């Protein structure tokens, strides 16, 4: 087009006709159930195989400091959808709760602008959403699978789809990991577990389910590629909270809150990007809304696109919390925690330390003894260690099931498993005071009830909907019955016991 006037006229017309407008991106949100950092090949794990996650990291951005807003399914997923911290989501701050309906989810905002929306398997939950006015899961209308969703999608309509795997949530089929070819001796056992073959076998079963999530996620991405929509789709792959083991899931230590995260979107994310700044799951919803060219006024998170473009943001720390996970304390009591995590330290405030952080030692309404910890051979072996700690070794029972001090402080660089509480050490008093000050300020600014009333009963009184596993487990029987069954060798038939 050699005539400058015609070129100007074309551009002027295009700006009003939509010809030059960028096509709204699709969003594919891939979320595992109970998968912890750093259990992916790209993070250096030598056992678990995660080619899909590793590919997304190579073709997009890999995050090394991504944190769930809460280490519990329902509040984590509510924060993803609403872009708000759990304490801002009322009943949605608890597991098995009711989904709050005072503010729009990113799915509702996009749907109102013409996006086709859907989900499969585990969306928001567990809990109830119909009672607050939703006709379908807040993550999107339920479809049998991604293929069925794409078949029903109107041609050229942008979409957002939530793939909520139920892996690697328990229960596991024992020995799936070792029988798939993974080896016990290759497992790196976290310092808060006993290092024995039965625990290693349990971790291999967890890895097996991570691999299944990774494989299924790859199948969805292949569909996008086949239909020519891959590069116009924001792909996020992550987890809702940490691994279903003691001192991980339902805790504010790193194995409960620090998440794998990779994001691919060629339009905004340079391949091979590594993000070391802190991000919180409340950042997803505002990012999706902004990517669609829309506005929102109710979200607390920051959009990630400016960060990925190299813009400096206040991301030197992240704030974490939990309220009631399972209903495992007499009186339906929560175990509240608030925390602040930066590159050097993790500070945790337990405002009601007289309660049992892992649940009561006998069943209340669900899950059995110490019910905030999912049942497993690892849990049972640690329970059997009560009072048997050898001098000079960590008390693993106390770390997993014992009561905690009101304040905890950990040097995360020198103590990556958060085993040594420094809160009472005079040498760390200045650091502790500063982190507590920053935490309380954030709580006040975001309207946290516990800033005004640390012992508030609000989350104790929120409805808890189910009753399940209403009996204590025979721990010794579980240990005696457990067998490691390798795929070959002299133990392939009778198996190897734990004792």
């Amino acid at each position: 087009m050699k005539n400058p006037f015609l070129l100007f006229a074309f551009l002027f017309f295009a700006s009003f006709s939509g010809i030059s407008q960028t096509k709204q991106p699709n969003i594919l949100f891939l979320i595992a159930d109970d998968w912890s950092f750093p259990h992916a090949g790209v993070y250096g794990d030598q056992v678990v195989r995660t080619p899909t996650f590793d590919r997304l990291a190579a073709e997009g951005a890999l995050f090394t400091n991504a944190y769930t807003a809460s280490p519990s399914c329902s509040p984590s997923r509510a924060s993803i959808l609403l872009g708000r911290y759990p304490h801002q989501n009322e009943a949605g701050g608890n597991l098995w709760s009711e989904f709050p309906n005072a503010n729009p989810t990113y799915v509702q905002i996009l749907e109102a602008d013409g996006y086709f929306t859907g989900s499969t398997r585990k969306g928001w939950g567990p809990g109830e959403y119909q009672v607050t006015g939703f006709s379908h899961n807040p993550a999107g209308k339920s479809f049998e699978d991604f293929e069925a969703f794409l078949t029903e999608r109107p041609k050229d309509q942008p979409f957002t789809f939530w793939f909520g795997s139920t892996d690697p949530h328990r229960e596991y089929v024992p020995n799936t990991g070792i029988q798939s070819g993974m080896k016990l001796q290759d497992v790196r056992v976290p310092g808060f577990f006993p290092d024995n073959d039965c625990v290693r076998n349990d971790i291999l079963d967890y890895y097996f389910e991570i691999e299944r999530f990774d494989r299924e996620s790859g199948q969805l991405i292949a569909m996008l590629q086949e239909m020519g929509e891959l590069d116009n789709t924001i792909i996020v792959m992550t987890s809702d909270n940490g691994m279903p083991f003691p001192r991980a899931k339902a805790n504010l230590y790193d194995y409960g809150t620090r998440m794998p995260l990779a994001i691919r979107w060629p339009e905004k994310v340079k391949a091979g990007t590594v993000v070391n700044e802190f991000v919180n799951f409340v950042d997803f919803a505002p990012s999706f809304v902004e990517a669609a060219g829309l506005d929102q006024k109710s979200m607390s998170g920051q959009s990630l696109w400016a960060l990925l473009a190299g813009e400096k943001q206040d991301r030197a720390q992240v704030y974490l919390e939990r309220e009631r996970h399972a209903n495992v304390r007499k009186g339906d009591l929560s175990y509240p925690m608030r925390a602040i995590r930066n590159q050097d330290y993790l500070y945790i405030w337990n405002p009601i330390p007289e309660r049992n952080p892992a649940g009561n030692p006998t069943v209340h309404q669900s899950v059995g003894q110490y019910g905030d910890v999912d049942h497993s051979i690892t849990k049972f072996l640690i329970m059997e260690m009560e009072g048997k700690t050898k001098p000079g070794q960590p008390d693993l029972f106390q770390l997993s099931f014992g009561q905690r001090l009101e304040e905890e402080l950990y040097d995360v660089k020198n103590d990556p498993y958060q085993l040594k509480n420094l809160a009472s050490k005079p040498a760390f008093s200045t650091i502790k005071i500063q982190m507590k000050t920053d935490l309380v300020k954030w709580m006040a600014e975001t309207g946290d009830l516990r800033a005004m009333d640390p012992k508030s009963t609000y989350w104790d009184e929120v409805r808890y909907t189910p009753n399940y596993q209403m009996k204590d487990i025979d721990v010794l029987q579980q240990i005696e019955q457990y067998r490691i069954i390798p795929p070959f060798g002299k133990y392939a038939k009778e198996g190897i016991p734990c004792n």
Side-chain angles (χ1 to χ4, degrees), residues 331-389:
D332 306 339
L333 302 180
S334 170
Y335 189 85
M337 306 178 193
R338 301 291 185 269
I340 177 172
R341 167 71 153 83
N342 60 33
Q343 293 284 2
D344 299 311
Y345 295 97
L346 169 66
Y347 171 83
I348 301 174
W349 178 46
N350 303 307
I352 314 181
E354 60 270 22
R355 296 180 182 177
N356 297 314
N360 288 353
T362 56
V363 69
H364 172 50
Q365 189 174 333
S366 58
V367 188
Q369 61 268 57
Y370 302 117
D372 268 354
V373 182
D374 292 8
H375 291 326
S376 67
I377 188 62
T378 300
K379 173 180 177 176
F380 302 144
L381 288 170
I382 296 175
M383 287 176 66
E384 276 303 295
M385 297 176 73
E386 183 176 9
K388 302 175 184 177
T389 302

Side-chain angles (χ1 to χ4, degrees), residues 1-120:
M1 193 175 291
K2 295 181 180 180
N3 188 319
F5 176 78
L6 291 178
L7 176 60
F8 173 79
F10 174 80
L11 294 174
F12 182 83
F13 171 76
S15 68
F16 285 95
S17 66
I19 295 175
S20 68
Q21 292 179 4
T22 302
K23 183 180 178 182
Q24 286 179 304
N26 308 311
I27 298 165
L28 177 60
F29 192 73
L30 308 166
I31 183 167
D33 196 355
D34 299 0
W35 174 31
S36 288
F37 176 98
H39 300 142
V42 72
Y43 288 127
D45 193 295
Q46 299 297 307
V47 184
V48 67
R49 295 156 292 198
T50 54
T52 303
F53 184 80
D54 299 354
R55 173 194 173 184
L56 293 179
E59 296 178 0
L62 178 69
F63 293 75
T64 63
N65 277 302
Y67 286 78
T68 181
S70 181
S72 176
C73 295
S74 308
S76 169
R77 291 161 186 259
S79 288
I80 290 168
L81 288 161
L82 291 161
R84 296 168 61 82
Y85 290 105
H87 65 259
Q88 297 175 314
N89 291 333
E90 300 171 341
N94 278 3
L95 184 73
W96 282 108
S97 55
E98 299 173 1
F99 193 86
N101 200 7
N103 297 287
T105 66
Y106 77 80
V107 175
Q108 290 173 309
I109 293 172
L110 297 183
E111 187 172 37
D113 194 61
Y115 269 70
F116 188 59
T117 66
S119 67
T120 193

